């Protein structure tokens, strides 16, 4: 609504609109091919045309102890998706950057094998030869039969768009963590189950052996032991040892949740605690894809019907046995849950990165407008759970004070950590160039943050160093320790930094020498991984590095330059730098209506010589805690208005600007075919707003509305009726036609609360006053029957509350409209062709109206006297002056804003949980009959 | 004749009611609305349920169940004993021959009497004596604790249709065509003992008395089904003035008797009476008549104020009059004074304002005679409220809080001044903002 994703290069929308509405096709010679390179399987916006797959997909691979890395499955499960892309090869790549500290075995000094509950590792890697970039999430599952009891797996999100991976790293990481947590939870249960069975087997075996030994003893009267007997005794001893070992393992796996819960950061996927306990409170993690169903509980309770088997002392060689499948490893229920989650990920991240970001920005902004967003937003959107944004900064606002405050206040449970990282980053700056101090820096960083993971970290470091120093061809863009990525230190943005493009090398990455390999490490950052956005941030910063960069690449692509001289520890600085510059970039993203305008005052060069905007929208970091409800200060307002609120760009929304920009986007070409927005995907991006159905509905409603305003010259008063809260009745014989009109007009109906729109598509009985309270747009059947007469009689009786659009005779009876807002909203000469574009156009104008209504509602002195003695009349005149002069409203537009303001008031003062009485407001104004 | 009903367009500048709340709850005709205090009222009707409402918010406060049949009478009874704090009670009588006292604060039934031989049709509270009276086939006097203090003998099977309190511990009861004056006197022996005596029977009405209202300490008025209006002296119960046939368009009843015949008796029934110090306002058939007590004549009227019978009228402090009718509408009238120039040659416009269907000669002559030395009044329609789909039984005027109307369509509608409500909401909004601390600048 706030920003139109249309500005993203459209490939093709799957228009599901009626064929009626489709524009006549252009003659072949005039039409611009949508996919000029489609024949070659290439993407017109793809920077790297070499990708061998058609769209993003998720790959699950395993490092099999028998055959090495192998792909297991892809999502979507469609051979077309991966195309000629070599999954086997890529599996090898992604499996070889596993930085998990997966160590299981006999640690020195311990008699029994010890399970190590390792963290997942998150790595971004790129393979420029293949044109593939991937977010790789490694995890380890337990398998009793596997070597060292572990089975390394990984899930990878593979895209041709490097920027997408980088920019959505945090989101990907969050989503994949959920999937991983689900898998691991299931795996722990399955593993424990398996252990129990094994224990039973062993127990049984021991009994059998014991009996045999006893019998032999009895049978043996010679007084000495036969070799057979000795063997039996040995066997018995080894079985007993095995039992102890397995019991220990079982204890370990069962103790997992208790151990983990000590971590402040840990969100259990669900408490899988004891196997014999019912799964209570299984949905502790609100983000978990689905709480465990009660029905599946029996799966984990002990199955009594299990008959123990006799176990041979020597198990089969590992190459002979068949390894368990992933499904067996994690239990069917959790496996399907995981698949659901992965499908969800695939759907969420489908499409162009620009689209995703714009969508995220506008959603984040809408979330802030908690006071007004109920009016015209989709109900589904409002009902949605807030997305788990991990970042809490408000770099976009550039208010460092706020940043620090909210980071300290909002992260109550994580205070220690965020303070820790905060401190470290602060201290980091002065010593940026002093490499010798880096060592002293490192422990400080770790002490507060990493103490819990200290053990793992050691492994991790070892691992990284190992893999990198080996001169492997695979390079890592970024890694992150899972579970620790939940905080970031906002304060970094505020730090003064020296621009130093070379400083951005990671300590590990910088050690490597230039290799001819196609896969390159862009950065890794095991210990600083607390600051995951920095990766995202560091990417756009490249643009701003241009003036300082001495090479032409300038860093739109953050390609690594081998720079062995620059040492570790400077990545902090470079990140800080990049964050500062992201500020500016964020602003562009935020003001998306004016997003096309270059902002030279920011010292940026968003446009290159060819006039192509090269800055994709930046991820928006909402000030979640800072400005609750997004209120401007009313203290400030009472004296005068805040300057920005009277900015005509925001309020009066010059028609030309919005029109021109919208007209552009109605084309299928776009001025902002950003180089950065590599569309690796031909499928349309599904709106985050949920279902494709909602999207489709919008499109259809927009298309119908376009038709309506073109067809009916009296569209303006009809829309005015809806906006001013006067119920509009669409009267007609043909249900389909009436419903179509109702759908078209429904986009103009303000919501009365956070429930469904007050629209009734089809009514056949006589209307009553209560209906007008409930519904603001009604489709009514005209019937030639006694009942029909009643219907018409009721209409004429209540005509003062109604506007009546007669779909059969094409007349409209409603009050006069002489304002200007609706003319902008519904210009019958509009050049907009697409339904969805028009829908967004409408939404943007309605947003302007909402902001006016917001100002009007929350300006204290407009409604209450400034001083005690001030007469009511002067308040009224001040109010009218504000509406007319400050908000620039004319005539009936005032009524619209007043109505919206009433809705805002009602919504705000309504107690939560209490429905409140719906009230009907009306005016005694004369109606006129409009004809075509 | 149809065109004679005055209509007002959709533009009603003087109509303050631009917002409404529909109060749902009743399952049958809502017949009674009674005010409890400044912001509460009770509603009752044929479903036997009593609802208590907040007149400001429209909130349903209580739902009182206890009667099994329709409610026939309801009266508020606020006790103001010096010893205890003020408690608001309401008394309800029902066709199930019970009377229940309810506590409005708790919504609970305080007490129930079910010893009646017939349905109690009217209830009157004598606040001064701290007793209340129930009128059915006999008249009973009760105290607050629901002790029967005394009762009359069986009066009539039809029962008492109306009761009004008169000075000197007297009450007037309308029983059929008769008006009976009773006097309450303290019995000699007991402190709480009362005797009730029939003092006088007035048999001046030709037909059943349909309405009975007390104007002031000196006067009360009765109206009958055939349109007689009698003004009585409240002290000596003598007839001060009477008006009959004033509904007739021809002022002289001897002329054009066919017009009178054409009118059904229903059209001439005095449905409701209300008064202020100067005038008595009568709802007669479809029309509204203003009878001046000093001039002893009708000073203004609206013969067809509604499409069907007017059921209830009330005088507002600001010279306005509200009427509701079986046609489902509520109309707001204003009594205006018009200085007619004596030399005005063509009085037709004047007749139209009076609502005369056709200006015949006699009427014009009569009118001329009438306004020779007096200011001329007329009732002007200033607004109408359309919301109910069936007969509006009654309404309750709450001053600036609005107007509550109840109807046979089971609904109660609260009509409110939209401007006032809007500014009240703003006030609430800023209070809540301050409460939530949203007014503070957040850093």
């Amino acid at each position: 609504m706030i920003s139109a994703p249309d500005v993203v290069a459209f490939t093709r929308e799957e228009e599901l609109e009626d064929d009626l509405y489709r524009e006549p096709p252009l003659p072949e010679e005039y039409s611009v091919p949508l996919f000029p390179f489609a024949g070659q399987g290439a993407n017109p916006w793809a920077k790297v045309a070499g990708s061998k797959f058609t769209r993003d997909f998720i790959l699950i691979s395993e490092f099999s102890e028998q055959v090495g890395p192998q792909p297991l499955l892809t999502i979507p499960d469609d051979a077309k998706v991966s195309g000629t892309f070599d999954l086997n090869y890529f599996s090898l790549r992604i499996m070889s950057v596993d930085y998990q500290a997966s160590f299981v075995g006999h640690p020195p000094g311990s008699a029994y094998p010890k399970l190590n509950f390792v963290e997942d590792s998150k790595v971004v890697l790129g393979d420029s030869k293949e044109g593939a970039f991937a977010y790789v999430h490694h995890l380890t599952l337990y398998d009793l039969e596997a070597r060292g009891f572990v089975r390394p797996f990984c899930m990878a999100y593979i895209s041709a768009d490097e920027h997408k991976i980088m920019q959505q790293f945090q989101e990907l990481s969050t989503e994949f963590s959920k999937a991983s947590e689900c898998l691991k939870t299931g795996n722990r249960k399955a593993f424990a189950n398996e252990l129990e069975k094994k224990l039973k087997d062993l127990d049984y075996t021991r009994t059998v052996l014991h009996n045999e030994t006893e019998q032999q003893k009895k049978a043996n009267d010679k007084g000495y032991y036969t070799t057979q007997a000795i063997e039996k005794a040995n066997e018995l001893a080894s079985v007993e040892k095995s039992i102890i070992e397995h019991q220990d393992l079982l204890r370990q796996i069962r103790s997992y949740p208790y151990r983990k819960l000590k971590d402040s950061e840990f969100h259990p996927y669900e408490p899988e605690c004891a196997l014999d306990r019912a799964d209570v409170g299984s949905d502790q993690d609100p983000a978990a894809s689905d709480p465990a169903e009660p029905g599946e509980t029996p799966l984990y309770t002990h199955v009594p019907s299990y008959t123990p088997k006799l176990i041979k002392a020597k198990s089969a060689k590992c190459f002979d046995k068949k390894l368990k499948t992933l499904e067996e490893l994690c239990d069917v229920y959790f496996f399907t849950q995981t698949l659901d989650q992965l499908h969800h990920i695939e759907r969420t991240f489908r499409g162009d990165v620009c689209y995703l970001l714009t969508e995220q920005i506008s959603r984040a902004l809408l979330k802030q407008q908690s006071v007004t967003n109920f009016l015209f937003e989709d109900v589904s959107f409002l009902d949605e759970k807030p997305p788990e944004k991990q970042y809490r900064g408000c770099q976009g606002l550039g208010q460092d004070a706020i940043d620090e405050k909210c980071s300290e206040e909002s992260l109550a449970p994580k205070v220690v950590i965020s303070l820790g990282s905060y401190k470290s980053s602060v201290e980091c700056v002065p010593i940026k160039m002093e490499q010798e101090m880096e060592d002293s820096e490192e422990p400080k960083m770790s002490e507060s943050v990493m103490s819990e993971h200290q053990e793992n970290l050691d492994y991790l470091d070892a691992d990284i160093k190992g893999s990198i120093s080996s001169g492997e061809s695979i390079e890592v863009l970024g890694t992150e320790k899972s579970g620790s990525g939940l905080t970031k230190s906002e304060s970094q943005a505020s730090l003064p930094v020296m621009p130093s493009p070379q400083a951005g090398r990671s300590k590990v990455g910088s050690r490597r020498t230039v290799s001819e390999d196609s896969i390159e490490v862009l950065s890794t950052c095991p210990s600083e991984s607390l600051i995951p956005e920095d990766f995202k941030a560091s990417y756009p910063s490249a643009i701003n590095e241009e003036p300082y960069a001495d090479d032409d690449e300038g860093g739109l692509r953050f390609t690594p330059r081998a720079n062995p001289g620059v040492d570790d520890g400077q990545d902090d600085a470079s990140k800080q730098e990049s964050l500062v510059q992201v500020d500016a970039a964020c602003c562009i993203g935020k003001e998306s209506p004016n997003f096309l305008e270059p902002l030279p005052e920011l010292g940026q060069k968003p446009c290159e010589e060819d006039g192509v905007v090269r800055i994709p929208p930046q991820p928006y970091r909402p000030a979640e805690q800072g400005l609750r409800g997004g209120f401007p200060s009313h203290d400030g307002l009472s004296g005068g208005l805040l300057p920005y609120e009277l900015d005509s760009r925001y309020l009066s929304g010059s028609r030309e600007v919005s029109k021109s920009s919208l007209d552009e986007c109605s084309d299928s070409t776009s001025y902002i075919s950003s180089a950065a927005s590599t569309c690796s995907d031909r499928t349309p991006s599904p709106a985050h707003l949920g279902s494709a159905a909602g999207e489709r509905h919008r499109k259809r409603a927009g298309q119908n509305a376009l038709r309506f305003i073109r067809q009916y010259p009296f569209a303006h008063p009809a829309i005015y009726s809806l906006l001013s809260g006067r119920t509009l009745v669409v009267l007609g014989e043909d249900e389909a036609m009436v419903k179509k009109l109702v759908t078209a007009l429904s986009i103009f109906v303000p919501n009365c609360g956070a429930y469904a729109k007050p629209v009734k598509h089809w009514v056949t009985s006589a209307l009553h006053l209560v209906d007008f309270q409930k519904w603001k747009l009604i489709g009514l059947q005209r019937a030639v029957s006694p009942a029909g007469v009643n219907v018409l009689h009721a209409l004429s009786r209540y005509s003062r509350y109604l506007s009546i659009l007669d779909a059969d005779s094409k007349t409209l009876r409603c009050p006069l409209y002489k304002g200007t807002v609706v003319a902008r909203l519904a210009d019958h000469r509009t050049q907009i062709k697409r339904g969805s574009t028009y829908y967004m156009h409408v939404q943007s104008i309605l947003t302007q109206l909402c902001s006016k209504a917001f100002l009007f509602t929350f300006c204290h002195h407009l409604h209450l006297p400034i001083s005690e003695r001030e007469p009511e009349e002067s308040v009224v005149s001040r109010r009218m002056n504000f509406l007319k002069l400050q908000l620039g409203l004319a005539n009936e537009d005032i009524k619209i804003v007043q109505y919206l303001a009433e809705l805002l008031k009602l919504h705000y003062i309504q107690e939560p949980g209490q429905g409140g009485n719906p009230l009907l407001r009306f005016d005694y104004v004369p109606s006129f009959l409009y004809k075509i | 004749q149809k065109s004679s009903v005055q209509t007002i367009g959709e533009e009603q500048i003087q109509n303050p009611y631009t917002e409404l709340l529909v109060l749902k709850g009743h399952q049958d005709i809502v017949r009674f609305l009674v005010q409890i205090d400044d912001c509460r009222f009770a509603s009752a009707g044929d479903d036997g349920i009593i609802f208590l409402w907040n007149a400001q918010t429209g909130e349903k406060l209580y739902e009182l169940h206890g009667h099994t049949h329709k409610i026939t009478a309801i009266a508020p009874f606020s006790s103001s004993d010096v010893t205890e704090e003020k408690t608001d009670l309401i008394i309800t009588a029902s066709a199930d021959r019970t009377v229940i006292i309810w506590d409005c604060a708790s919504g609970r039934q305080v007490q129930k009497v079910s010893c009646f031989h017939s349905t109690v049709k009217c209830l009157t509270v004598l606040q001064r004596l701290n007793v209340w009276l129930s009128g059915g086939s006999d008249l009973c006097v009760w105290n607050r604790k629901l002790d029967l203090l005394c009762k009359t003998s069986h009066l009539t099977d039809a029962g008492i249709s109306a009761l009004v309190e008169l000075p000197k511990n007297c009450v007037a009861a309308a029983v059929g065509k008769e008006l009976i004056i009773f006097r309450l006197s303290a019995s000699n022996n007991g402190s709480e003992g009362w005797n009730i005596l029939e003092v006088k029977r007035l048999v001046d009405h030709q037909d059943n008395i349909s309405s009975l209202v007390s104007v002031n300490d000196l006067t009360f008025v009765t109206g009958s089904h055939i349109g007689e209006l009698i003004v009585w002296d409240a002290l000596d119960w003598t007839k001060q003035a009477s008006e009959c046939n004033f509904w007739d368009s021809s002022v002289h009843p001897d002329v054009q008797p066919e017009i009178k015949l054409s009118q059904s008796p229903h059209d001439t029934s005095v449905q409701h009476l209300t008064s202020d110090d100067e005038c008595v306002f009568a709802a007669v058939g479809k029309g509204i008549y203003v009878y001046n007590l000093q001039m002893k004549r009708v000073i203004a009227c609206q013969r067809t104020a509604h499409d069907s019978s007017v059921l209830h009228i009330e005088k507002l402090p600001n010279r306005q009059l509200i009427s509701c009718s079986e046609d489902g509408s509520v109309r707001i009238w204003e009594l205006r004074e018009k200085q007619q120039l004596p030399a005005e040659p063509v009085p037709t416009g004047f007749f139209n304002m009076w609502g005369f269907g056709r200006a015949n000669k006699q009427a014009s002559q009569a009118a001329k005679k009438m306004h020779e030395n007096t200011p001329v009044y007329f009732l002007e329609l200033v607004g109408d409220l359309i919301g109910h789909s069936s007969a509006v039984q009654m309404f309750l005027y709450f001053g600036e809080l609005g107007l509550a109307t109840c109807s046979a369509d089971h609904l109660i509608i609260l009509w409110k001044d939209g401007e006032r409500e809007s500014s009240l909401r703003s006030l609430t909004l800023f209070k809540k903002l301050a409460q939530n601390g949203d007014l503070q600048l957040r850093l």
Side-chain angles (χ1 to χ4, degrees), chain A residues 217-504:
Chain A
K217 267 186 195 163
K218 278 178 195 159
N220 180 15
D221 42 3
K222 291 171 193 159
Y224 61 90
Y225 295 110
T226 61
T227 38
Q228 212 182 1
I230 291 170
E231 252 174 41
K232 277 271 182 275
N234 282 343
E235 211 173 310
L236 191 60
S238 85
V239 165
E240 264 161 7
K241 178 167 180 274
S242 186
I243 286 175
I244 294 169
E245 278 179 10
H246 281 86
Q247 276 169 342
D248 189 60
L249 281 176
L250 187 61
R251 186 188 51 73
Q252 287 181 45
I253 197 85
R254 280 178 170 173
S255 69
Y256 172 81
Y258 306 116
R259 263 181 40 150
K260 288 298 289 183
L261 282 171
K262 289 175 205 151
D263 286 1
S264 58
E265 301 260 325
F266 180 71
H267 302 285
Y269 175 72
E270 58 170 61
E272 58 276 81
C273 334
L275 294 172
D276 46 357
R277 209 190 288 168
D279 294 341
V280 280
S282 55
D283 49 352
Q284 278 185 9
D285 185 356
S289 53
D290 212 12
E293 289 163 4
E296 48 95 24
T297 315
L299 287 174
Y300 308 109
T301 52
H302 168 61
V303 185
S305 62
Y306 178 71
T307 36
K309 296 186 293 283
L310 190 66
I311 291 184
K312 292 202 173 165
K314 292 288 174 214
S315 61
K317 280 280 169 276
C318 63
F319 286 99
D320 303 338
K321 69 186 179 222
K322 184 184 162 291
L323 284 174
K324 288 198 188 66
T325 63
L326 188 56
E327 200 168 342
E328 288 165 342
L329 273 179
C330 324
D331 177 298
V332 185
Y333 171 75
F334 285 92
F335 183 69
T336 31
Q337 288 292 307
T338 312
L339 282 189
D340 286 349
Q341 166 70 4
L342 291 178
H343 277 291
H344 167 74
I345 294 174
E346 196 271 328
R347 274 197 307 273
T348 313
F349 293 94
R350 195 185 283 177
D352 192 279
V353 65
C354 266
Y355 186 90
L356 290 176
L357 289 175
T358 322
E359 200 63 39
Q360 282 167 4
I361 290 167
S362 69
R363 285 158 60 78
L365 288 173
L366 275 174
K367 281 266 148 54
Q368 286 200 340
Q369 301 179 334
S370 59
V371 176
T372 55
N373 60 11
F374 73 94
L375 281 175
F376 291 106
E377 288 310 312
D378 283 337
V379 182
S380 57
F381 157 73
L382 293 167
D383 287 344
E384 222 170 72
K385 280 186 284 182
E388 285 172 272
K389 293 284 174 197
Q390 307 288 330
Y391 30 68
R392 316 227 180 225
C394 9
Q395 286 91 344
L397 300 175
Q399 290 169 325
D400 305 319
I402 293 181
D403 295 356
E404 287 179 26
K405 256 213 172 93
C406 54
S407 74
E408 285 169 19
E409 288 169 3
S410 64
L411 303 173
K414 302 160 189 159
V415 161
V416 180
I417 288 153
S418 71
L419 281 181
S421 56
Y422 168 65
K423 190 168 60 175
S424 72
S425 59
V426 169
E427 289 167 6
C428 194
V429 175
I431 55 137
K432 182 163 55 79
M433 303 306 286
E434 298 164 22
Q435 294 152 21
E436 65 271 21
M437 285 188 70
E438 194 266 333
D439 289 335
S440 64
E441 194 59 34
E442 193 70 29
K444 253 184 219 168
M445 172 77 140
S446 318
E447 66 189 357
S448 58
V449 187
M450 290 299 187
S451 52
E452 291 96 335
H453 307 301
Q454 196 62 53
E455 189 188 14
N456 296 335
L457 254 188
D458 292 341
Y459 297 127
L460 188 71
D461 274 346
D463 241 339
I464 292 165
K465 277 162 190 154
S467 74
I468 297 298
S469 58
S470 70
E472 273 269 348
S473 64
I474 294 181
E475 307 190 4
V476 176
L477 300 171
T479 74
E480 191 212 358
K481 285 261 302 125
S482 80
S484 55
L486 294 169
T487 58
K488 83 165 293 301
S489 102
E490 290 80 8
S491 58
Q492 289 184 335
S494 64
L495 295 170
V497 282
M498 280 179 57
S500 163
Q502 272 84 10

Side-chain angles (χ1 to χ4, degrees), chain A residues 564-669:
Chain A
V566 178
D567 204 62
D568 324 334
Q570 300 193 351
D571 34 6
D572 264 356
S574 82
K575 277 164 208 144
Q576 287 147 19
E577 170 201 28
S578 54
L579 273 174
V580 169
Q581 281 147 353
V582 165
D583 283 1
C586 273
C587 294
I588 299 178
K590 273 177 62 189
E591 308 170 357
S592 29
N594 305 312
F595 160 70
L596 290 175
E597 300 169 17
L599 299 170
E601 71 274 14
L602 293 173
Q604 287 200 334
K605 283 191 184 172
C607 298
E608 304 215 328
E609 289 76 37
D610 53 359
V612 174
V613 178
R614 297 208 178 268
I615 302 181
Q618 297 306 305
Y620 176 70
R621 294 110 206 260
E624 282 178 20
Q625 315 291 321
L627 294 163
R628 187 159 57 86
F631 275 97
S633 130
H634 300 292
D635 298 340
L637 281 175
S638 57
L641 290 160
L642 295 181
Y644 74 85
E645 283 164 335
L646 293 177
D647 188 335
S648 62
R649 278 192 308 177
Y650 288 85
L651 289 182
S652 48
S654 110
R655 183 179 176 182
E656 275 65 41
V657 168
S658 64
K659 201 181 161 197
S660 65
S661 65
L662 280 162
D663 292 349
E664 282 155 24
C665 22
S666 62
D667 286 342
S668 43
T669 54

Side-chain angles (χ1 to χ4, degrees), chain A residues 797 800-801 902 920-921 924, chain B residues 17 19 384 386 388 422:
Chain A
R797 177 174 178 84
R800 65 175 59 178
Y801 307 118
E902 285 309 315
L920 180 65
R921 289 172 59 80
Y924 297 105
Chain B
Y17 300 110
E19 191 174 306
D384 62 345
I386 294 175
H388 289 292
S422 173

Side-chain angles (χ1 to χ4, degrees), chain B residues 146-162:
Chain B
L146 269 180
D147 301 322
L148 180 60
L149 301 176
C150 55
K151 62 186 277 188
T152 63
S153 57
H154 182 81
L155 295 166
T156 161
D157 285 336
I160 298 170
S161 61

